[in-house]
Amino acid sequence: MNLTDDDVRDILRLLDSLPYAELRLETDSFRLWLRRTGDGEWTRATQVLSPPAEVGPAAAAEPAAAPAPPAAADTADRAGPAREGLLEVRAPLLGTFYRAPRPGAEPFVEVGSAVVEDTVVGIIETMKLMNSVPAGVRGTVVEICVANVEFAERDAVLMLVVPE
Amino acid sequence: MADHTVLIGPADPAASYLDVDAVLGAARTTGADAIHPGYGFLAENPRLAAACAAAGIVFVGPTEAQLAAAGDKLAAREHAVAAGLPVLPGGEVRDLRSARRLAGEIGWPVLVKAAGGGGGRGMKKIGEPAELADAIELARAEAGAAFADRRVYLERFLSAGRHIEVQIAGDGERVIHFGERDCSIQRRYQKLVEEAPAPGLGASTRAALHAAAVALGERLRYRGLGTVEFLVAGADFYFLELNARIQVEHPVTEAVYGVDLVAEQLAIAEGRPPRPAPDTTGPDATGPAGHAIECRINAEDWTRGFRPSPGMVTAAVFPAGDGIRVDTHVQAGTRIPPHYDSLLAKLIVHAADRTAALALLRGALARCEIHGVTTNLPMFAELTRRPEFAAGCVDTAWFPAFLERRDSERIRERAGEGAGRG
């Protein structure tokens, strides 16, 4: 069963006539927590527990459900070990990495390109926003670790640069 | 929440939500007889409407031809002119010589806009004649890459005005309106606050806006819900574009008209006429009741250039009570992915008048708590305390100026802190 906004309003009307400041309601399918704040107004937190039934896969569906997100702490390590003496260009935020300003255009940099701190080396698309990635270091690109249009975690190593 | 879900592909929207075959495949798998396209992705895509028609599935929206006419901003502009709507002086760029002459007639600065753009995309201001040739060439190239359509047009640049839009509904014959919304609080053409009705609008301007929107709908023999957007400067107004879908901000209209716009959409799709036009003037007026305001709660950090903040929501507490509506997909444990835009929740308040709605909104915002991702809630708390906002009638230049002032205050505060520590 699902709880509608009207249901919640009806419950609040009942509670308003009663001396209680908090209600916790839990069923197999949802949790509802209503709480009166200092000024007598209400807040609600809802949790739907049973996910909706999944209907058989459509055309190109991938069967794997989204796994639990990994702890953010070790993402940098998983991006590959830093090599001795090389500088890293890391993803400032997670998202899709683009090596060129638009499809079909020349990449911002290639292996062998010289970069300075504010050289744009790529774009990370997060939540439909394009964020340019500055090198942040000075030197020559020796390796590109994340391919074009590949997903990059925050702090993932995108490129390795040999210092000047 | 949904009764059933179908996985239509990977997280990348290009291979799922924007894939017409994947969406139709899901409809076939479930035996659905209609597709409601929502307000993003393929909502205004003529290809989806055509594919639905071919598959014998009802597309909940306008016809393929109407979607095409609304999506082509030049065609929409021509329809608007033909329907008698005022538009900003302008026209299509055919060659540089005629563009120069056109810009001279319009007056500098001018805007160059992509025919395939809209919603602020594919638009650039050109300050002076010397910039024209390069700006047009760049605009053509960008429009070609982004919209697969190199056509661009020029329009007079208005530095500010109020963004006011009219909700229309049509059954393919008759078109009615559900009043207007004021969406002048925008950042980079992204709306953040919307309200209905538009505060402080003169009765004749209001009536003229409604009539203009209905006239455009009637010219197109419009079917479904649509929004006609206008730029209002004083008593003058200009047609901007027609959005051929239900919009994010539709709940403020629902609140003041006591109507369920999605139910209206479904009724129209089933071949039933929309309910009678609301009468806002006669003795039996069934026009807007009270005032409604919506805030778009986004996962973005307004103190750091609105940087997006995907991640895991650890707690989500929303206000509840009379006159408060929260539309959200967020609860504790929700993972906000980086693949889609940052809208987390819509908070809508409705009260007897604007003053009461604003008071309700301030209290409701104070009771919102979302942890785990950064949200723009603190921005709304500040914004709704500003006297200019409380007074109403701000134009589109006000919010960017508010942000700029806030940024420089923040820089001064940080400098002050640094000096204090030093």
Side-chain angles (χ1 to χ4, degrees):
Chain A
M1 110 172 223
N2 261 331
L3 207 61
T4 66
D5 283 354
D6 286 339
D7 296 335
V8 172
R9 246 189 294 278
D10 287 345
I11 294 171
L12 287 179
R13 285 209 184 94
L14 275 176
L15 285 176
D16 273 330
S17 62
L18 296 168
Y20 306 117
E22 194 172 325
L23 171 82
R24 281 170 190 266
L25 191 60
E26 189 164 343
T27 72
D28 289 342
S29 56
F30 69 86
R31 272 191 209 129
L32 174 71
W33 180 31
L34 296 171
R35 203 167 62 84
R36 211 194 287 258
T37 54
D39 54 4
E41 302 295 335
W42 291 95
T43 64
R44 87 184 254 191
T46 318
Q47 200 144 29
V48 179
L49 298 174
S50 54
E54 197 164 299
V55 179
E62 286 176 358
D74 62 344
T75 50
D77 298 334
R78 285 190 293 111
R83 266 181 263 151
E84 201 76 16
L86 295 181
L87 303 170
E88 293 163 336
V89 179
R90 288 175 181 256
L93 59 183
L94 87 169
T96 306
F97 179 60
Y98 296 100
R99 288 192 50 205
R102 67 190 72 84
E106 290 292 305
F108 290 104
V109 292
E110 296 278 12
V111 168
S113 298
V115 296
V116 296
E117 286 79 356
D118 58 1
T119 305
V120 173
V121 298
I123 290 172
I124 297 266
E125 181 186 8
T126 300
M127 296 180 141
K128 288 163 63 177
L129 287 181
M130 301 295 177
N131 306 273
S132 34
V133 182
V137 297
R138 189 177 282 258
T140 305
V141 177
V142 289
E143 189 180 333
I144 293 170
C145 314
V146 176
N148 190 36
V149 204
E150 216 169 77
F151 190 79
E153 294 282 349
R154 186 182 169 169
D155 273 340
V157 177
L158 301 172
M159 292 178 194
L160 295 173
V161 171
V162 59
E164 262 180 354
Chain B
M1 298 283 167
D3 295 323
H4 300 286
T5 61
V6 181
L7 191 59
I8 58 166
D12 176 8
S16 50
Y17 294 109
L18 289 171
D19 181 342
V20 171
D21 291 336
V23 172
L24 270 178
R28 283 204 202 88
T29 307
T30 52
D33 47 23
I35 294 178
H36 189 300
Y39 46 63
F41 300 119
L42 296 172
E44 293 172 276
N45 193 307
R47 281 192 302 120
L48 179 60
C52 283
I57 293 171
V58 173
F59 175 77
V60 182
T63 64
E64 184 190 349
Q66 288 161 355
L67 288 169
D72 179 339
K73 302 303 163 190
L74 259 171
R77 194 183 138 92
E78 276 156 26
H79 280 295
V81 170
L85 276 65
V87 297
L88 286 161
E92 186 173 357
V93 172
R94 296 184 194 279
D95 56 68
L96 191 56
R97 184 192 295 261
S98 65
R100 266 190 223 290
R101 197 170 54 236
L102 180 61
E105 285 164 19
I106 294 171
W108 299 90
V110 296
L111 270 183
V112 57
K113 292 175 151 186
R121 297 182 313 146
M123 210 155 101
K124 272 203 174 59
K125 179 179 155 186
I126 311 177
E128 52 185 276
E131 298 169 17
L132 188 69
D134 286 350
I136 286 175
E137 205 30 61
L138 185 66
R140 279 191 189 283
E142 286 182 358
F147 316 114
D149 181 350
R150 283 174 57 88
R151 289 175 306 139
V152 298
Y153 61 109
L154 299 182
E155 244 179 33
R156 175 179 290 168
F157 173 77
L158 270 194
S159 60
R162 292 172 68 186
H163 175 113
I164 296 178
E165 57 186 33
V166 178
Q167 177 70 58
I168 59 168
D171 60 7
E173 296 290 332
R174 214 164 52 93
V175 175
I176 62 172
H177 72 83
F178 288 96
E180 80 288 347
R181 297 182 285 260
D182 187 330
C183 314
S184 299
I185 305 281
Q186 306 182 354
R187 176 180 174 272
R188 297 187 181 172
Y189 304 101
Q190 295 301 306
K191 298 165 186 167
L192 288 162
V193 179
E194 302 99 347
E195 46 189 307
L201 197 62
S204 59
T205 308
R206 189 187 308 273
L209 283 166
H210 295 172
V214 168
L216 178 59
E218 281 172 345
R219 176 178 164 84
L220 294 169
R221 297 168 68 89
Y222 196 77
R223 187 191 75 192
L225 287 192
T227 296
V228 186
E229 297 189 333
F230 296 96
L231 193 61
V232 179
D236 296 327
F237 61 84
Y238 308 96
F239 167 78
L240 286 179
E241 57 186 70
L242 165 63
N243 291 319
R245 60 164 193 278
I246 194 163
Q247 286 189 279
V248 175
E249 60 270 26
H250 73 276
V252 290
T253 300
E254 293 187 329
V256 294
Y257 278 94
V259 61
D260 180 336
L261 287 174
V262 177
E264 296 289 327
Q265 270 188 305
L266 295 174
I268 295 165
E270 283 176 347
R272 287 184 280 140
R275 59 170 217 165
D279 173 11
T280 57
T281 51
D284 306 314
T286 54
H291 197 91
I293 309 176
E294 173 183 276
C295 291
R296 296 194 193 183
I297 302 170
N298 295 333
E300 57 191 12
D301 185 349
W302 84 298
T303 67
R304 298 171 68 198
F306 288 78
R307 174 184 271 214
S309 175
M312 169 81 84
V313 173
T314 53
V317 177
F318 293 105
D322 285 337
I324 296 173
R325 166 175 169 182
V326 178
D327 288 7
T328 184
H329 63 288
V330 166
Q331 59 182 35
T334 301
R335 191 176 181 218
I336 310 300
H339 307 95
Y340 314 112
D341 80 17
S342 59
L343 184 63
L344 296 178
K346 300 188 272 184
L347 167 62
I348 304 102
V349 296
H350 180 215
D353 56 37
R354 190 167 187 273
T355 308
L358 199 52
L360 187 60
L361 178 61
R362 290 192 189 109
L365 283 166
R367 282 179 279 144
C368 276
E369 269 181 65
I370 300 175
H371 297 297
V373 297
T374 306
T375 75
N376 58 357
L377 278 166
M379 180 194 80
F380 288 121
E382 282 199 28
L383 168 69
T384 54
R385 280 199 300 266
R386 294 279 170 161
E388 304 92 323
F389 180 72
C393 313
V394 297
D395 65 20
T396 52
W398 180 79
F399 185 67
F402 160 75
L403 290 178
E404 225 167 83
R405 197 166 56 229
R406 197 59 195 82
D407 278 345
S408 48
E409 278 171 22
R410 218 175 268 124
I411 289 164
R412 273 204 302 280
E413 278 164 23
R414 280 177 193 156
E417 280 166 23
R421 275 198 301 275

